[in-house]
Amino acid sequence: MELLYNIFIDPFVQMGAMPDFLLQVLWEGFVSGILYALLALGFVLIFKASGVFNFAQGIMVVFSALSLVSLYAAGVPAYIALALAILIMAALAVTIERVVLRHLVNQDDIILFMATIGLSYFLIGFGELIFGGEPKAMITEELGLPTGSTTFDIFDGILILQHIDIAAAVIAAILVAVLAIFFSKTRIGRGLRAVADDHQAALSVGISLNQIWAIVWFASGIVALATGIMWGAKSDVSFALQIVALKALPVLILGGFTSVPGAIVGGLIIGFGEKLFEVYWGGLLGGGVEGWFAYVIALIFLLFRPQGLFGEKIIERV
Amino acid sequence: MFYREAGQYKTNYKDDLATFPILQDRIAIGIYLVIAFVAIPIFGNDFFINSMMIPFLIFTLAAIGLNILTGYTGQLSLGTGAFMGVGAYACYKMTTIFPDINIIILVVLSGVFSAGIGAIFGLPSLRIKGFYLVVTTLAAQFFLEWCFIRIPWLYNYNISGAIEVPQREIMGVIITGASASPTARYLVVLSVVVVMTWIASNIIQGRIGRSWMMIRDMDIAAELMGVRPLQAKLSAFAVSSFYCGVAGAMMVFFWLGAAEVESFDVNQSFRILFMVVLGGLGSLVGCYMGAAFIWMLPIMITIAPSIFGLDINAATVEHINFMMIGGLIIFFLIMEPHGLARLWSLAKQKLRVWPFPY
């Protein structure tokens, strides 16, 4: 009985007793949800256009953020460093397309997936060789991002909002809007959607697959850079991030592999759920449940709705 | 020149189905076994046995486990490290609860526990496959890692959170614990790995193994031909996890001596996956080659520059190692998806027809 009480009643009593704390937890959940959503967005872009599940997205986040920070540390002004980091991601996208993807056209999805695991190992080694393995601080202020915090008085308590978190939410919204316009209004965007729909048909009307793939990897490189900046501003930029980045996988399961809105909603659900569960129920299990909560949610979800919330109905099922 | 099958006639079906149809291959296997069981214990020094041969054999066993699942049944798994952990912790608990039972029996029994856990996490594979299955195996990985930290009962409430191997002996020879000689541990590991490879080879060539491969090649066709996906997939998960569990138990008991949860993290899973991919998906010889390659590569990178008088620090070695492994994975997937095992059989084919091209 006491266990049932602890599971079903007590957490809600606590929520009711301290609404300001609940709001703070929800806000934290929202912020990490935004970051998961940004991560997942990078995966979705590539998956839509090439059917490649890009395991290296996590290391691309780290790699882009590290190049930005290291360029700044080498004496390059912040905004020029940002531009150069974008150029580096473009070069990386073209190289990956040339060296890896072009040779693996028409292979099994799983082979391509394993190739991206190899790619992420290569980038880890390469990145650590160039930038060194130790964590680095993100140049938040130099990029003109706000760093302060605002405190609200509500429900006889306080709610603290970090400005950088608000900026993250705004930037994420802008990125999604820009991507949506890019996909629906521009020539290249139409090409991307055509390729996503059917590779062969797109080829036969004269769309260059190789070019589209390079562009889409570049786009997800930019998303990776934005994620890296936001994440780096909250905690330092380190290679440990790329394990956290695996959480984009359950986000995608929830949202569906091919849906941009799905990535956002999935990220938010995971973010909220994870924080609420950790704070109100985690104590029952000994804490530290954040590490697997997302995956178990995804596991349960898979059993009932394998295509995700917004995914296409067609899913290869056994 | 010597590698010819001329004159070796197959006069009955048994010969036709033999695992090693060529006499020279059988001789070679015999020589390998003699080297492994006699020459290495006599001539190998402690460093060679302890830091190269023992981990190589243990990783081979884990790679065989993963290969059964990924290479033969076509289900990609990133939870290998956690399943190895289940074996290790199960074995540790059993040695504390039943201190009198022979340690080798316990090591093999611990595989049963990880087989059970593996089958449970394999259940979603009946409905989903591909990336979706990767997520469920990752769920297993992170959830089990959490269990290894948060359930103190598993490590006997040890303050350090590590499992430490007690001393056990067989027939008067100490085989586990700090005072066991590397040679004794090596011989135990070698015997287990050889026997389990032999069993794996028989399972794979038998009815169960063929049903796995049918599921891998085309699941719907396999089902139409009478293979039950439920049994085939769950048995693959169970057998695979059994092998990984035994490998994990041996890793702690015969190699590391003490282990924490870091030994079973997701990077361990990747390492085993790389062994399987480089060695060759769907090949037992490949498991040996892949494990040897991945395990020896960092040692080679450390040794090679010192021959030329260059000095490289440990961190750089690790970074170069990561780059080379990543690069090689991509290279092999592009150039030779069947891995080192395929190169090996190509070389043998060339030898057979030498000096003619075909």
Side-chain angles (χ1 to χ4, degrees):
Chain A
M1 270 319 281
E2 189 171 334
L3 183 69
L4 287 178
Y5 174 79
N6 281 335
I7 293 174
F8 292 109
I9 315 276
D10 189 47
F12 297 104
V13 173
Q14 282 181 38
M15 284 181 204
M18 285 162 68
D20 57 320
F21 183 62
L22 175 65
L23 271 180
Q24 187 73 48
V25 171
L26 285 176
W27 172 251
E28 298 290 330
F30 173 71
V31 172
S32 55
I34 292 280
L35 288 176
Y36 292 149
L38 273 175
L39 261 175
L41 194 61
F43 283 91
V44 167
L45 282 177
I46 292 180
F47 191 81
K48 255 175 100 91
S50 55
V52 177
F53 190 87
N54 178 24
F55 194 82
Q57 183 70 22
I59 188 65
M60 275 166 69
V61 169
V62 180
F63 195 83
S64 58
L66 276 179
S67 13
L68 173 63
V69 175
S70 305
L71 280 170
Y72 181 76
V76 184
Y79 289 102
I80 299 177
L82 186 65
L84 283 177
I86 291 176
L87 273 182
I88 289 176
M89 293 322 281
L92 188 68
V94 174
T95 318
I96 290 172
E97 194 279 317
R98 285 257 158 180
V99 178
V100 183
L101 295 177
R102 187 170 287 187
H103 302 286
L104 287 171
V105 179
N106 247 341
Q107 292 276 11
D108 277 352
D109 293 350
I110 277 304
I111 299 282
L112 280 159
F113 174 66
M114 286 195 279
T116 61
I117 297 184
L119 179 66
S120 79
Y121 257 63
F122 182 83
L123 284 179
I124 291 173
F126 188 58
E128 289 194 339
L129 202 63
I130 300 176
F131 306 122
E134 67 278 2
K136 290 191 172 62
M138 177 44 72
I139 44 169
T140 318
E141 284 176 34
E142 291 83 350
L143 285 171
L145 294 169
T147 50
S149 62
T150 311
T151 310
F152 293 102
D153 295 316
I154 40 163
F155 301 123
D156 309 322
I158 52 165
L159 175 66
I160 303 168
L161 302 186
Q162 300 285 340
H163 289 169
I164 184 72
D165 294 344
I166 302 171
V170 173
I171 290 178
I174 294 173
L175 255 181
V176 172
V178 168
L179 281 174
I181 294 169
F182 176 68
F183 267 105
S184 55
K185 301 289 179 203
T186 65
R187 194 181 147 81
I188 296 173
R190 278 202 301 277
L192 282 173
R193 279 187 296 151
V195 170
D197 228 30
D198 190 330
H199 285 190
Q200 279 196 333
L203 266 178
S204 64
V205 294
I207 298 169
S208 158
L209 265 188
N210 295 330
Q211 192 190 350
I212 291 291
W213 282 358
I215 289 171
V216 85
W217 276 74
F218 177 44
S220 80
I222 293 177
V223 174
L225 181 60
T227 320
I229 292 172
M230 291 308 153
W231 214 322
K234 283 180 69 67
S235 57
D236 286 340
V237 188
S238 76
F239 283 90
L241 268 183
Q242 57 111 12
I243 295 289
V244 184
L246 288 180
K247 278 209 189 129
L249 277 157
V251 169
L252 291 173
I253 297 280
L254 244 67
F257 277 88
T258 50
S259 159
V260 171
I264 310 288
V265 176
L268 289 178
I269 291 176
I270 295 278
F272 281 131
E274 199 174 79
K275 282 282 185 288
L276 282 176
F277 192 75
E278 171 76 56
V279 171
Y280 291 103
W281 283 273
L284 292 174
L285 294 164
V289 293
E290 268 182 296
W292 53 264
F293 176 76
Y295 296 96
V296 174
I297 288 287
L299 196 69
I300 297 166
F301 221 79
L302 274 177
L303 290 174
F304 297 104
R305 200 178 159 83
Q307 75 270 31
L309 288 172
F310 300 88
E312 289 156 25
K313 276 279 184 291
I314 326 146
I315 162 176
E316 210 180 359
R317 287 177 60 173
V318 181
Chain B
M1 204 182 299
F2 300 107
Y3 194 69
R4 288 279 194 280
E5 51 192 296
Q8 298 176 24
Y9 300 113
K10 293 165 186 163
T11 49
N12 52 29
Y13 285 120
K14 197 162 165 273
D15 289 348
D16 210 25
L17 292 170
T19 313
F20 300 108
I22 301 173
L23 179 67
Q24 285 88 337
D25 277 347
R26 289 196 291 272
I27 295 172
I29 291 289
I31 293 173
Y32 295 147
L33 285 178
V34 169
I35 291 175
F37 274 101
V38 181
I40 289 177
I42 293 176
F43 299 111
N45 61 12
D46 278 4
F47 171 78
F48 178 69
I49 290 179
N50 206 20
S51 332
M52 293 175 91
M53 288 313 289
I54 292 180
F56 153 62
L57 287 169
I58 289 170
F59 284 129
T60 300
L61 195 61
I64 291 175
L66 183 60
N67 215 339
I68 285 174
L69 193 59
T70 305
Y72 287 102
T73 322
Q75 316 286 317
L76 185 56
S77 163
L78 291 180
T80 323
F83 294 135
M84 288 171 76
V86 172
Y89 280 86
C91 193
Y92 177 67
K93 277 317 281 185
M94 283 194 290
T95 51
T96 43
I97 296 171
F98 310 107
D100 297 328
I101 298 180
N102 189 325
I103 183 72
I104 296 180
I105 295 176
L106 291 183
V107 165
V108 174
L109 270 183
S110 61
V112 177
F113 286 87
S114 67
I117 303 273
I120 291 172
F121 279 100
L123 280 174
S125 72
L126 302 172
R127 293 196 58 178
I128 49 175
K129 57 188 183 183
F131 310 126
Y132 297 86
L133 190 64
V134 170
V135 176
T136 69
T137 56
L138 268 179
Q141 172 73 44
F142 288 105
F143 181 70
L144 291 171
E145 256 184 60
W146 178 84
C147 289
F148 298 150
I149 298 174
R150 299 286 168 173
I151 305 179
W153 180 79
L154 284 175
Y155 45 87
N156 286 352
Y157 302 96
N158 196 340
I159 296 161
S160 64
I163 48 177
E164 281 153 20
V165 175
Q167 184 168 316
R168 290 284 182 277
E169 50 188 64
I170 296 178
M171 294 179 288
V173 182
I174 304 169
I175 56 166
T176 65
S179 50
S181 77
T183 315
R185 289 184 282 131
Y186 167 73
L187 284 175
V188 173
V189 172
L190 180 66
S191 314
V192 174
V193 173
V194 167
V195 170
M196 287 185 71
T197 310
W198 177 70
I199 295 174
S201 152
N202 277 300
I203 296 177
I204 287 162
Q205 285 170 18
R207 186 180 59 82
I208 301 173
R210 288 202 303 275
S211 72
W212 291 342
M213 286 183 258
M214 287 165 82
I215 289 282
R216 172 193 66 188
D217 292 339
M218 196 172 177
D219 44 9
I220 296 171
E223 201 174 347
L224 289 173
M225 293 173 77
V227 174
R228 291 196 189 144
L230 177 85
Q231 286 177 0
K233 285 187 176 173
L234 285 191
S235 64
F237 264 96
V239 174
S240 154
S241 310
F242 180 86
Y243 273 77
C244 294
V246 173
M250 290 209 300
M251 184 168 99
V252 177
F253 275 72
F254 296 114
W255 178 38
L256 296 175
E260 285 176 55
V261 69
E262 282 78 26
S263 311
F264 309 109
D265 64 2
V266 70
N267 288 320
Q268 188 74 280
S269 304
F270 286 134
R271 181 190 283 175
I272 309 287
L273 178 67
F274 289 161
M275 289 172 181
V276 172
V277 174
L278 273 187
L281 288 163
S283 155
L284 287 181
V285 190
C287 295
Y288 281 84
M289 293 180 179
F293 191 85
I294 299 270
W295 184 251
M296 306 291 178
L297 184 65
I299 301 176
M300 292 303 151
I301 297 174
T302 322
I303 294 173
S306 61
I307 296 173
F308 300 107
L310 294 167
D311 195 30
I312 296 185
N313 65 14
T316 318
V317 168
E318 201 187 322
H319 304 159
I320 295 176
N321 185 32
F322 264 74
M323 282 175 69
M324 285 187 71
I325 290 178
L328 280 169
I329 291 285
I330 296 173
F331 177 80
F332 267 94
L333 286 174
I334 292 172
M335 305 304 288
E336 190 51 88
H338 298 284
L340 291 168
R342 176 85 182 132
L343 292 181
W344 175 242
S345 70
L346 278 177
K348 282 209 298 193
Q349 185 59 30
K350 291 267 183 244
L351 266 179
R352 267 162 91 174
V353 294
W354 189 85
F356 304 107
Y358 47 83

